[in-house]
Amino acid sequence: MSFANTELLKLGSRYMKCMVFRCFILVILVLVFTTVIYPFTGSNWLPWRTSNWIAMSAASNLQHAVRRDKFLEVPQIIWGLNNQKIALARACLTARFLNRTLLMPSLSASLFYKEVELLKPMAFDKIYQFDKFNCLCDGFVRLGRYSDLLNHSMPFEIQKGSGRKWTKERDLDQLKQCREESVDNSEVIRIGGKNPFLWHDHWPVKDYAKIFQCLVVVDEIENEVAKVISKIREVGSKVRYKIDASQNEESADSSLGQHVPYVAVHMRIEKDWMIHCKKLEQKLRIEQICSSKEEIMERVSQITSIQQPVVVYLAVADTLLEDDSILSGWNDGLLPLEKKRLGVWGIYKKYPYLIQSAIDYEVCSRADVFVGNSFSTFSSLVVLSRTQKLIRMGFTSSCSAEVGYSSYAYNLLGESGGAKRWMTDMSAPDLVGISYGTNNISCYSNWNTSL
Ligand SMILES: *[C@@H]1O[C@H](CO)[C@@H](O)[C@H](O)[C@H]1NC(C)=O
Ligand SMILES: *[C@@H]1O[C@H](CO)[C@@H](O)[C@H](O)[C@H]1NC(C)=O
Ligand SMILES: *[C@@H]1O[C@H](CO)[C@@H](O)[C@H](O)[C@H]1NC(C)=O
């Protein structure tokens, strides 16, 4: 029943493996140390062969490591949470391409699009766990701190080109040149100019996915997420409890200890989005990008994989929190709630935009059912994380109703008038579908190797 628990166990064990590996390395270091020191003290309890084997296995583990004495520096990362995550991953992959540690970049706490001087920088480690990131991404990419720099010599600066002439090929050529010895000698390569989100993309979805897996929110944020989710489940259990109680008291009691499912809907209907999506529809000549409130309600109510009554958490823009109409018009079996109605606005209000968005992201990622818009980066990354969870649990398809963690796109029509089932295509060669959106989605992931 509880997919969430299985998932937590798996994630937990992944982290444990990572920590166990660290301990393993520590033990090796101790052993190597003792074999070096002990011969001088006359004691020789460790046979030569064993120490040799240990040294060799340590070396083979280090072989794939990203260099720790060469760094890449990138400009401050800006815009929405998920644009920032993509930008961060792209910077990490660029650093990996150059076999360099990425100097921990600044994210942005606020969401000003135009007034760049108002962008409040926020350190990566205020949101995500720095050590855990390096532990989980060990051997793939690595983040470093400015205090790791040995040599405060001038960095080698390069500018990303811009305009139509700056093609993907030219961009890649520039990166390749940075691997040449004359540039590679510099301790730091600093890339100037554009936000990494706007850099050309050279990597497949699975590489981005590996990095997103290493982003674990800090304990403070995790605690807030847990509070919000437990509040949602509390309301959900009351809704179910009432129904159960009217039927039979015993089942009411037994329902108390059960997993109470919830649906999360990333409802994009605010004015800014409507203007943006209408323009996008014209540009792409697709009529399936903008969904009205009524269309969303209708398509969510037709989803059959979840038993009603159920709580529907609405992840909406702050401007819509004043708009009571988003809470009315839902089917009887669906109880819509947003932050204010749920009584958790106080939790969110304490934080700047970026953290509020990070909390909503986690609440949506962990929902039993998620419904979003396939042209939204936020929705796309939520579905990507849910697809990864399903793959870790052994499912490459959510086409059958029994699979937990199902996701849907309300802007696309699925079976029987409901929202369309959605899993990320993990074999996509680039991130275009995710960062710009797509109407070509399906309920299988097209991916059969473990991540
Ligand atoms: C990075 O450099 C180290 C040290 O030179 C090397 O052992 C490792 O294989 C390189 N990694 C990649 C991905 O090229
Ligand atoms: C420090 O930088 C200088 C050039 O600025 C270089 O010659 C030297 O090798 C560097 N030292 C280290 C330890 O990287
Ligand atoms: C839709 O995506 C699938 C893989 O997910 C791909 O094979 C197919 O070519 C795509 N169709 C269009 C029209 O882009």
Side-chain angles (χ1 to χ4, degrees):
M1 173 66 204
S2 177
F3 284 101
N5 288 346
T6 332
E7 165 57 23
L8 270 181
L9 279 176
K10 293 215 174 175
L11 252 187
S13 79
R14 199 156 57 90
Y15 185 55
M16 278 305 288
K17 268 186 213 149
C18 186
M19 294 313 281
V20 166
F21 178 72
R22 280 190 161 188
C23 293
F24 179 65
I25 289 286
L26 207 72
V27 168
I28 286 174
L29 287 180
V30 169
L31 289 179
V32 168
F33 181 75
T34 48
T35 47
V36 172
I37 298 302
Y38 267 69
F40 295 104
T41 60
S43 164
N44 202 0
W45 57 273
L46 197 73
W48 181 85
R49 270 162 181 261
T50 316
S51 65
N52 203 30
W53 175 81
I54 288 169
M56 272 166 57
S57 66
S60 83
N61 274 320
L62 291 174
Q63 240 169 34
H64 305 288
V66 178
R67 289 181 300 179
R68 291 164 180 239
D69 55 348
K70 300 285 180 188
F71 300 87
L72 181 75
E73 187 180 346
V74 303
Q76 182 177 350
I77 286 172
I78 58 175
W79 296 335
L81 168 75
N82 289 288
N83 294 343
Q84 294 194 34
K85 276 168 120 166
I86 290 174
L88 174 79
R90 195 160 291 163
C92 285
L93 291 170
T94 304
R96 172 179 159 78
F97 186 81
L98 302 176
N99 196 352
R100 282 170 179 264
T101 294
L102 179 68
L103 283 170
M104 188 172 78
S106 277
L107 304 176
S108 302
S110 53
L111 185 61
F112 288 99
Y113 288 91
K114 295 181 187 111
E115 294 136 288
V116 175
E117 65 279 10
L118 292 178
L119 287 167
K120 293 200 194 81
M122 178 179 258
F124 170 89
D125 58 1
K126 288 275 181 301
I127 301 209
Y128 299 110
Q129 299 188 34
F130 181 90
D131 289 332
K132 211 173 225 181
F133 181 92
N134 277 339
C135 191
L136 291 172
C137 264
D138 189 38
F140 188 62
V141 296
R142 191 166 176 279
L143 285 180
R145 297 182 188 274
Y146 281 79
S147 56
D148 297 341
L149 295 179
L150 298 172
N151 189 345
H152 293 269
S153 55
M154 285 297 286
F156 184 89
E157 302 210 19
I158 60 166
Q159 287 286 324
K160 287 269 180 185
S162 59
R164 212 178 300 165
K165 283 190 184 154
W166 188 256
T167 59
K168 195 168 162 168
E169 290 71 32
R170 286 187 68 173
D171 191 79
L172 196 60
D173 278 346
Q174 185 188 45
L175 290 182
K176 282 181 183 154
Q177 280 164 23
C178 291
R179 295 203 293 205
E180 283 166 17
E181 210 179 336
S182 57
V183 180
D184 194 52
N185 280 338
S186 308
E187 186 184 23
V188 178
I189 294 179
R190 176 188 289 160
I191 300 185
K194 293 182 199 175
N195 172 22
F197 183 72
L198 296 176
W199 296 356
H200 280 288
D201 176 18
H202 304 293
W203 296 280
V205 163
K206 67 175 176 47
D207 283 1
Y208 284 92
K210 271 190 201 163
I211 294 173
F212 296 143
Q213 277 192 133
C214 308
L215 295 172
V216 180
V217 291
V218 294
D219 290 342
E220 184 189 358
I221 299 180
E222 177 56 38
N223 291 340
E224 306 293 27
V225 171
K227 276 188 224 160
V228 174
I229 292 180
S230 82
K231 192 82 194 178
I232 294 173
R233 295 203 198 276
E234 188 188 312
V235 176
S237 87
K238 276 185 196 150
V239 174
R240 293 212 165 188
Y241 180 76
K242 255 188 219 154
I243 302 282
D244 284 344
S246 68
Q247 286 166 351
N248 144 358
E249 274 189 30
E250 259 172 49
S251 74
D253 283 345
S254 66
S255 75
L256 278 176
Q258 276 179 7
H259 172 81
V260 183
Y262 70 97
V263 179
V265 179
H266 179 223
M267 197 168 181
R268 297 224 64 178
I269 52 165
E270 70 275 16
K271 222 186 251 161
D272 296 2
W273 165 260
M274 282 320 219
I275 294 169
H276 165 77
C277 78
K278 290 283 179 210
K279 276 193 200 147
L280 205 59
E281 284 190 342
Q282 278 172 2
K283 193 175 132 195
L284 301 177
R285 304 215 178 105
I286 296 176
E287 283 182 359
Q288 301 157 305
I289 303 177
C290 311
S291 282
S292 65
K293 187 169 63 186
E294 290 72 25
E295 186 170 80
I296 296 174
M297 289 175 184
E298 170 62 20
R299 289 184 177 169
V300 172
S301 73
Q302 297 298 324
I303 292 175
T304 51
S305 66
I306 190 123
Q307 191 201 343
Q308 297 183 4
V310 68
V311 171
V312 178
Y313 175 74
L314 302 177
V316 292
D318 287 357
T319 49
L320 290 173
L321 293 178
E322 306 303 327
D323 178 1
D324 278 344
S325 77
I326 62 168
L327 296 175
S328 57
W330 291 84
N331 266 20
D332 279 349
L334 303 174
L335 178 68
L337 293 166
E338 32 70 333
K339 302 175 184 61
K340 279 201 168 156
R341 186 63 66 94
L342 191 59
V344 296
W345 180 231
I347 293 179
Y348 283 85
K349 225 172 36 185
K350 291 187 287 189
Y351 296 107
Y353 153 80
L354 194 65
I355 292 180
Q356 291 188 12
S357 189
I359 298 174
D360 255 359
Y361 176 87
E362 296 298 327
V363 172
C364 289
S365 283
R366 299 176 199 183
D368 297 80
V369 171
F370 172 74
V371 198
N373 187 306
S374 69
F375 282 86
S376 148
T377 311
F378 182 97
S379 293
S380 298
L381 286 193
V382 167
V383 174
L384 174 60
S385 78
R386 297 167 65 85
T387 300
Q388 285 178 280
K389 283 178 193 169
L390 283 174
I391 291 175
R392 284 201 295 272
M393 285 157 54
F395 300 101
T396 51
S397 159
S398 67
C399 306
S400 102
E402 294 88 68
V403 176
Y405 276 127
S406 51
S407 308
Y408 298 80
Y410 55 65
N411 59 312
L412 301 171
L413 188 60
E415 304 137 31
S416 64
K420 189 166 182 179
R421 277 183 186 270
W422 181 10
M423 252 179 117
T424 304
D425 176 10
M426 297 298 280
S427 65
D430 53 42
L431 211 64
V432 170
I434 285 163
S435 54
Y436 296 105
T438 176
N439 61 353
N440 182 19
I441 60 167
S442 64
C443 58
Y444 59 89
S445 173
N446 213 356
W447 183 250
N448 46 24
T449 5
S450 134
L451 282 174

